Amino acid sequence: LCSVDDGRPDDDDGKGDCVNPNFFAEGVTYDVTPAAGASAHCESNLRKAFGDDGIVQLAGENPDLIREGLLLCDGDDDDMTNSELGYAVRDWIDSALSYMAMGNFPYRSSYILNGVGELPPYPVRAACEFLADDLSRNGSELALLNGLAGFAGVYYNASGMLSCNSLSSPVNNASRAVEEMWDYQYCAQIFQIFGRASDDKDMYWNDEWDGDAAAKSCQEKYGFPPDRYHFSLSYGRPRDWSRDGASNIVWSQGEYDPWKGGGLRTNLTDSLVGFVIEGGAHHLDLFWSHENDTEAVSRARNFEIAMIGQWVGEKSAGRQDMTSFGRLRGNAAHKIAAAT
């Protein structure tokens, strides 16, 4: 993917070089809408929570209401100012939602929880049931906070055993390790764009992508600046792949996977194929088959298998042709040697 500040316009048709920097936020937003099966008021309630007059403002005005409504554990925020509490709560909710969006699978799965517990089928839909009523009106603050606690609890309290919520504890230790490793990898090689725009496609707060600030954060944490162009220089860009003769690749994107907007979603050539799996989430097609697989993911797997079979067949046919050519060349060389 190209840099968002290199002068080229964004290309959101699924086959170009540049990507909308807010693609992840827009993908998560889509998952909490009725189009993705979520309850009617889920998006509007989350917009209220994430907005300028939402969680952050409420924490500044009435932090005790935040603690009560979200069932925060005693002492969990003792070292935070009211403003820090608001931002911590907002990020806590966002983190749960982002992971549930990636793991928005049609059946119970332990994948997103790294094997420690399971999320329910379509966890975003399940979480949105806690925000099914319109809680965005003034005077509904406590009800909204209670709904948000239940919403995030689908992820953080998958076991149903927690009696209070901790803003500082990860969902489990395995997930903490994964997050730390991914954060390092982000700075080392996979420097990606993450912005928010607060518009009709994006329910989040305004947070324009700032590559310099992200690079500075990496430098401060790990002592080295990220290589912003590692991927494009190492692997090329879509225009390079089709131009330089790359072939035999399938890119699949899940409809509910917020990473979808950063990947190829349409064909570049006959053998550089991209498509979206209806009702799919984060690489669902690469999971083992499941009795509750959707028809769409079964079709996707069958298509991928057929494409691989086609490529293997073409390669085998080409090798046979080369073997025949080699025998003919060898016979010709033998005849030439015999004649001399």
Side-chain angles (χ1 to χ4, degrees), residues 37 39 102 137 170 187 218 223 253 258 296 299 323:
S39 56
M102 287 187 281
R137 302 181 306 275
C187 289
C218 289
Q253 316 295 338
R299 285 198 306 268
T323 300

Side-chain angles (χ1 to χ4, degrees), residues 19-339:
V19 171
N20 167 14
N22 308 319
F23 75 86
F24 193 91
E26 292 182 3
V28 175
T29 300
Y30 174 76
D31 280 10
V32 300
T33 66
S39 56
H41 295 292
C42 192
E43 180 190 359
S44 60
N45 288 325
L46 287 167
R47 281 185 181 273
K48 172 68 175 181
F50 291 145
D52 293 337
D53 60 344
I55 291 291
V56 174
Q57 178 176 305
L58 184 59
E61 298 172 349
N62 194 344
D64 288 338
L65 186 63
I66 294 282
R67 298 183 184 101
E68 175 189 353
L70 292 176
L71 302 175
L72 297 187
C73 299
D74 290 341
D76 189 61
D77 62 310
D78 283 352
D79 296 330
M80 299 181 190
T81 65
N82 291 349
S83 177
E84 289 170 342
L85 171 62
Y87 289 118
V89 167
R90 192 176 68 176
D91 291 343
W92 180 75
I93 296 168
D94 174 40
S95 182
L97 174 54
S98 295
Y99 280 114
M100 288 191 291
M102 287 187 281
N104 211 15
F105 305 127
Y107 47 78
R108 296 187 65 84
S109 172
S110 64
Y111 175 76
I112 289 297
L113 294 177
N114 294 290
V116 185
E118 292 183 335
L119 293 179
Y122 294 120
V124 176
R125 297 179 187 178
C128 279
E129 287 304 304
F130 290 93
L131 300 174
D133 297 329
D134 183 3
L135 306 175
S136 62
R137 302 181 306 275
N138 290 336
S140 302
E141 288 81 5
L142 182 58
L144 176 59
L145 291 169
N146 290 159
L148 291 169
F151 178 93
V154 172
Y155 173 72
Y156 291 112
N157 193 18
S159 67
M161 301 297 289
L162 299 180
S163 59
C164 63
N165 293 311
S166 172
L167 302 178
S168 56
S169 299
V171 66
N172 56 57
N173 290 331
S175 294
R176 183 201 297 273
V178 169
E179 288 179 5
E180 291 174 350
M181 288 187 287
W182 268 113
D183 188 63
Y184 180 87
Q185 191 71 0
Y186 169 86
C187 289
Q189 288 184 315
I190 312 177
F191 194 67
Q192 296 163 325
I193 54 177
F194 292 102
R196 297 180 171 95
S198 188
D199 56 27
D200 61 330
K201 294 182 179 180
D202 183 342
M203 67 184 172
Y204 287 93
W205 54 94
N206 282 309
D207 186 14
E208 185 177 354
W209 163 248
D210 186 339
D212 292 336
K216 181 180 179 182
S217 176
C218 289
Q219 179 73 53
E220 292 172 348
K221 282 189 290 186
Y222 300 114
F224 59 82
D227 183 349
R228 303 192 191 197
Y229 302 101
H230 169 76
F231 265 80
S232 58
L233 293 177
S234 298
Y235 304 108
R237 298 170 175 168
R239 68 176 62 175
D240 303 321
W241 305 334
S242 54
R243 181 194 63 204
D244 296 341
S247 61
N248 299 359
I249 305 174
V250 169
W251 290 273
S252 61
Q253 316 295 338
E255 178 189 1
Y256 300 152
D257 188 359
W259 293 104
K260 172 184 65 178
L264 289 172
R265 305 184 297 284
T266 55
N267 298 352
L268 294 178
T269 67
D270 290 342
S271 66
L272 296 175
V273 180
F275 61 91
V276 175
I277 302 173
E278 180 183 357
H282 199 52
H283 52 54
L284 176 61
D285 50 326
L286 301 184
F287 285 8
W288 297 111
S289 297
H290 190 280
E291 61 181 356
N292 292 325
D293 275 334
T294 63
E295 183 178 339
V297 75
S298 296
R299 285 198 306 268
R301 291 194 188 111
N302 290 336
F303 173 76
E304 291 160 357
I305 291 170
M307 290 297 293
I308 293 170
Q310 176 182 319
W311 300 335
V312 171
E314 291 171 351
K315 184 66 175 179
S316 297
R319 185 180 295 112
Q320 291 171 0
D321 290 343
M322 290 302 297
T323 300
S324 299
F325 175 73
R327 285 198 298 267
L328 290 173
R329 185 174 61 181
N331 291 337
H334 177 73
K335 291 178 180 178
I336 292 173

